[in-house]
Amino acid sequence: MGSSEQGEHAIHMMSTEEERRYPPSAEFAAQANAKADIYERDFDEFWETEGRTRVSWFEPFNKLYEWEMPYSKWYLGGKLNVCYNCVDRHVESGAGDKVAFYWEGELEDTRRTVTYANLQSEVVRFANVLKSLGVKKGTPVAIYLGMIPELPVAMLACARLGAPHCVIFGGFSAEALADRASDFEAEILITQDEGYRRGKPLALKKIADEAAANTPSVQKVLVVSHSGGDVAWNEGTDIRYDDLAKDASSDPASCPCEPMDSEDLLFLMYTSGTTAKPKGIIHTTAGYLVGAATTHYYIFDLKADSDVYFCTADIGWITGHSYILYGPLANQATSVIFEGTPDFPDKDRWWDICERYGVTILYTAPTAIRSHMKWGPEYAQKHDLSKIRLLGSVGEPINPEAWIWYRDHIGGGKAPVVDTWWQTETGSILITPLPGITTLKPGSASKPFPGIDAAVYDESSNEVGPGGGGYLVLRKPWPSMLRGIHNDPNRFLSNYWSLFPGNYAAGDGARIDEDGDFWLLGRVDDVMNVSGHRISTIEIESALVDHPLVAEAAVCGRADEITGQAIVAFVTLKGGAKGSDDVIKELRAHVGKKIGPIARPATVVITQELPKTRSGKIMRRLLRDVAENRALGDTTTLADPNVLAEIQRQAQAK
Ligand code: WT7
């Protein structure tokens, strides 16, 4: 995979077997949305029935799917609208007064309660504003917003008009934003004056301006007011949302939901791959919505009438798309959307939110759980979390200690924990426990969801039986699977479909135990997972070599107690310069500017040379050994063995 030396990524087996088992309580099982017979359902019947049940169609589909490797189409012939499914139909059926979401601002006491009827008005108004700017079916709209109420509103407004959106996470730099918006050929860029980060304003508009200046396709920048702070204004391009919104109609009849074909583009979501260029993952309308709604219903056991659901992800990532926005709203859930961070103003912020809104289902990431573990359970103990009945985890393998802590301290020692495996590309959860059925094992994502055919293969495409380890593959298409990479069909083919011909290679290692349960082991390619964010080693390397002082760079991950992985960069400077703390500081800042703060290396090691094979390939495997401070693997292909001793000395000096 990638440019790695062959077989460089050995799959490390877990040495100790986790023995703890947690069967569902009889009480939970009796009321669960998914009962044991769900696993007996036939593939076609499952997706056909769910397609008809979870989604309202303007015109029914007449063919379940078509599969021409590597492209699938789902629910062919159907017409529908995602916004109609997430908003209008709930108002029409009389649930207009039901809360769609409680919005909690980062600053205390900035709160809003948004009912489905409110949401409909806001979305229609936003859609009318977009329409007045010329947005129509097919117009690409980029969205660079923090977690403010206008973010879901803007996305739903795009879906209403049939305009594909691309949300770019608010933590990305101007350059990263421009790269993505240009590749998408966005015509409109929606941003806000400022966001907040731990009580301080974050200059989103300023970053958006810099990006827009480098994105020729962008004609208008639509600015939502949030902080009310002063921002620079570009007369020709900038438009204040409030100026247009005050005259825009919020009557749904003024802006009907555009009937979309099942396979029309809904959105792109950029994610890191094994090269410097991020991939624009394509998701279409019907299959994506069915996948998100179906998994959300069964895995989170959603009871629309009584649950309060809180997913702590940012809507700027796929988790937020599928499990804050589209899945929950399609299922008429009541959610919490939180703008801020878990430790501001104090480390009990989430637990305060859970208590105040009566959260019953919480979905978060292992890295966050480990931070809370470090801070101690006393923050959770200050609050009444007794309503929590189900917990979810996503983003990286969860270590059993964090799993148990989560269940004990947040779930009152009884809430089931669903460890959900999926990816930007898969659109929805594919490997997961079902909370009323599965006997849980801390650290295992359990079994493929009904209608999903997952397996573990060895390097020669042989299925690995119970007890074995290898590569996670998907053998059949599924409704919410990616439809390709925007502008790059060859990369789609080579990245996912060439390693195990005919099968989708997820890029993750996995082990399968005697009961057929899956244990995910992390990435097997040049992709790191830092705090649940996917980051490519090569993207960081190319940011580093872009700095005038840098000659060469190699990046790898090392294990980190809190963030899962931390980024280590090995750098050689031009002219063999020695480097200094200031240079290291500057290089870290440079990566932050090129990509975003999440990509800043935790450690920068400046060295005279990098370990290479005789043919000149950087041996990242050995650098990983150095970064992890463990014994070096096979060094026989190394051109100059002395290089490593030097690097080890440098790294240990850190
Ligand atoms: C990668 C996908 C869509 C989820 C958010 C991240 C890792 C995700 C798990 C899990 C073990 C997991 C995988 C995967 N991952 N969930 N429950 N157990 N690993 O989405 O940025 O597309 O990253 O996250 O390595 O390939 P993403």
Side-chain angles (χ1 to χ4, degrees):
M1 287 189 183
S3 58
S4 285
E5 199 192 345
Q6 261 280 280
E8 218 196 335
H9 295 273
I11 294 185
H12 299 283
M13 294 294 133
M14 275 180 227
S15 49
T16 51
E17 191 71 51
E18 168 61 49
E19 306 259 309
R20 287 166 283 195
R21 299 290 180 268
Y22 299 87
S25 70
E27 193 193 345
F28 197 106
Q31 60 82 60
N33 290 351
K35 303 283 199 294
D37 59 358
I38 197 172
Y39 286 116
E40 284 152 33
R41 286 173 64 181
D42 161 75
F43 178 87
D44 283 26
E45 178 280 319
F46 183 80
W47 289 121
E48 172 120 19
T49 310
E50 297 304 325
R52 295 196 198 290
T53 313
R54 308 274 150 235
V55 167
S56 300
W57 299 85
F58 294 154
E59 279 174 41
F61 57 91
N62 50 40
K63 187 175 183 196
L64 180 63
Y65 74 108
E66 256 175 35
W67 174 226
E68 278 175 41
M69 222 281 298
Y71 292 99
S72 77
K73 291 182 178 165
W74 284 83
Y75 306 109
L76 290 92
K79 295 256 190 260
L80 73 165
N81 182 284
V82 167
C83 179
Y84 180 78
N85 274 278
C86 290
V87 184
D88 296 60
R89 65 168 171 163
H90 305 316
V91 180
E92 286 171 15
S93 71
D97 291 338
K98 204 178 158 206
V99 175
F101 57 84
Y102 298 105
W103 180 79
E104 167 105 356
E106 143 116 23
L107 304 181
E108 276 181 302
D109 304 322
T110 50
R111 292 175 194 149
R112 277 180 61 187
T113 298
V114 178
T115 65
Y116 276 95
N118 300 150
L119 185 58
Q120 185 183 41
S121 305
E122 302 265 325
V123 168
V124 169
R125 204 191 326 269
F126 209 110
N128 275 322
V129 167
L130 289 175
K131 228 160 71 173
S132 74
L133 297 176
V135 174
K136 52 182 194 301
K137 182 173 174 174
T139 309
V141 177
I143 303 178
Y144 186 66
L145 291 171
M147 289 281 283
I148 61 174
E150 288 84 352
L151 175 53
V153 168
M155 292 163 77
L156 291 162
C158 288
R160 187 174 196 90
L161 297 171
H165 62 64
C166 175
V167 182
I168 294 115
F169 172 61
F172 275 120
S173 68
E175 225 170 287
L177 170 56
D179 281 351
R180 287 158 178 78
S182 305
D183 188 65
F184 181 48
E185 291 174 73
E187 291 175 25
I188 305 281
L189 173 60
I190 303 173
T191 191
Q192 68 190 78
D193 47 7
E194 295 168 318
Y196 293 106
R197 189 83 194 157
R198 314 176 67 79
K200 289 201 197 79
L202 183 79
L204 289 174
K205 162 81 163 68
K206 190 163 165 262
I207 297 171
D209 284 347
E210 213 181 308
N214 292 311
T215 312
S217 58
V218 168
Q219 293 152 17
K220 297 283 174 214
V221 177
L222 184 62
V223 186
V224 171
S225 155
H226 184 60
S227 71
D230 271 343
V231 290
W233 208 254
N234 306 309
E235 282 307 333
T237 49
D238 293 355
I239 291 165
R240 273 189 191 82
Y241 176 74
D242 290 342
D243 290 350
L244 298 184
K246 64 179 189 304
D247 300 320
S249 170
S250 61
D251 174 4
S254 70
C255 184
C257 294
E258 183 74 29
M260 302 297 284
D261 189 87
S262 289
E263 282 298 325
D264 279 336
L265 177 62
L266 180 63
F267 66 83
L268 292 190
M269 168 59 69
Y270 283 85
T271 189
S272 291
T274 53
T275 72
K277 195 175 153 34
K279 308 182 267 197
I281 302 299
I282 298 172
H283 283 293
T284 57
T285 301
Y288 173 78
L289 187 64
V290 173
T294 305
T295 50
H296 183 257
Y297 176 76
Y298 289 118
I299 298 164
F300 297 107
D301 191 47
L302 186 88
K303 306 291 190 285
D305 291 334
S306 51
D307 277 316
V308 178
Y309 166 87
F310 180 20
C311 168
T312 67
D314 192 290
I315 296 179
W317 303 107
I318 192 73
T319 304
H321 279 50
S322 302
Y323 298 110
I324 295 179
L325 209 62
Y326 293 120
L329 290 178
N331 291 334
Q332 208 184 103
T334 294
S335 300
V336 175
I337 298 182
F338 176 41
E339 183 188 23
T341 41
D343 56 346
F344 183 85
D346 205 351
K347 299 180 178 70
D348 66 339
R349 186 73 192 267
W350 281 4
W351 318 127
D352 176 44
I353 289 172
C354 287
E355 177 175 15
R356 223 167 344 98
Y357 298 110
V359 168
T360 59
I361 304 168
L362 178 69
Y363 191 28
T364 192
T367 183
I369 299 166
R370 289 190 298 263
S371 292
H372 285 290
M373 279 173 80
K374 194 179 80 183
W375 298 332
E378 52 274 23
Y379 294 97
Q381 281 155 7
K382 280 199 255 176
H383 296 276
D384 177 6
L385 302 180
S386 60
K387 292 225 170 89
I388 291 181
R389 65 179 195 94
L390 178 60
L391 298 169
S393 170
V394 62
E396 56 176 307
I398 180 165
N399 47 315
E401 289 60 43
W403 193 103
I404 302 275
W405 190 94
Y406 193 29
R407 179 184 161 100
D408 283 352
H409 293 287
I410 309 305
K414 61 178 198 320
V417 176
V418 289
D419 173 7
T420 61
W421 179 91
W422 61 298
Q423 309 177 298
T424 303
E425 293 87 339
T426 69
S428 57
I429 298 167
L430 298 194
I431 303 180
T432 179
L434 287 173
I437 306 171
T438 309
T439 291
L440 302 168
K441 302 173 181 174
S444 167
S446 190
K447 294 231 164 33
F449 186 72
I452 299 300
D453 185 6
V456 178
Y457 277 11
D458 69 14
E459 247 135 63
S460 332
S461 294
N462 301 309
E463 186 171 358
V464 167
Y471 302 88
L472 178 64
V473 299
L474 296 155
R475 298 189 287 200
K476 273 191 188 161
W478 63 98
S480 64
M481 72 190 289
L482 75 169
R483 301 299 194 262
I485 298 176
H486 185 62
N487 286 337
D488 209 344
N490 292 332
R491 192 174 181 194
F492 179 47
L493 213 74
S494 64
N495 239 236
Y496 304 101
W497 302 97
S498 65
L499 294 154
F500 306 101
N503 300 284
Y504 173 90
D508 279 35
R511 189 168 68 82
I512 198 154
D513 71 14
E514 302 301 329
D515 306 320
D517 282 320
F518 288 67
W519 299 72
L520 278 306
L521 304 173
R523 301 289 308 188
V524 292
D525 54 13
D526 293 317
V527 171
M528 295 170 294
N529 189 324
V530 180
S531 297
H533 299 315
R534 192 202 293 199
I535 301 171
S536 141
T537 55
I538 311 209
E539 212 175 330
I540 298 175
E541 288 167 8
S542 84
L544 284 165
V545 296
D546 169 79
H547 191 281
L549 289 176
V550 174
E552 226 179 358
V555 167
C556 66
R558 68 164 152 77
D560 181 274
E561 220 180 293
I562 302 291
T563 58
Q565 281 192 301
I567 303 169
V568 184
F570 297 90
V571 176
T572 62
L573 299 179
K574 285 185 186 152
K578 284 268 188 293
S580 64
D581 285 351
D582 284 345
V583 170
I584 288 174
K585 227 165 112 187
E586 188 174 323
L587 295 181
R588 294 185 68 237
H590 180 73
V591 175
K593 184 156 170 39
K594 294 286 288 184
I595 306 172
I598 47 168
R600 266 193 313 243
T603 311
V604 176
V605 180
I606 294 185
T607 169
Q608 293 299 305
E609 233 162 319
L610 293 171
K612 291 184 183 163
T613 61
R614 282 174 205 94
S615 63
K617 273 197 182 142
I618 296 174
M619 293 183 75
R620 287 197 183 70
R621 169 170 63 80
L622 294 176
L623 290 174
R624 274 195 293 274
D625 291 339
V626 174
E628 297 279 16
N629 208 357
R630 65 184 174 219
L632 298 177
D634 183 5
T635 54
T636 48
T637 51
L638 191 62
D640 176 3
N642 298 322
V643 170
L644 262 166
E646 167 62 16
I647 296 176
Q648 278 176 312
R649 257 195 308 280
Q650 294 292 341
Q652 260 138 33
K654 291 280 134 204

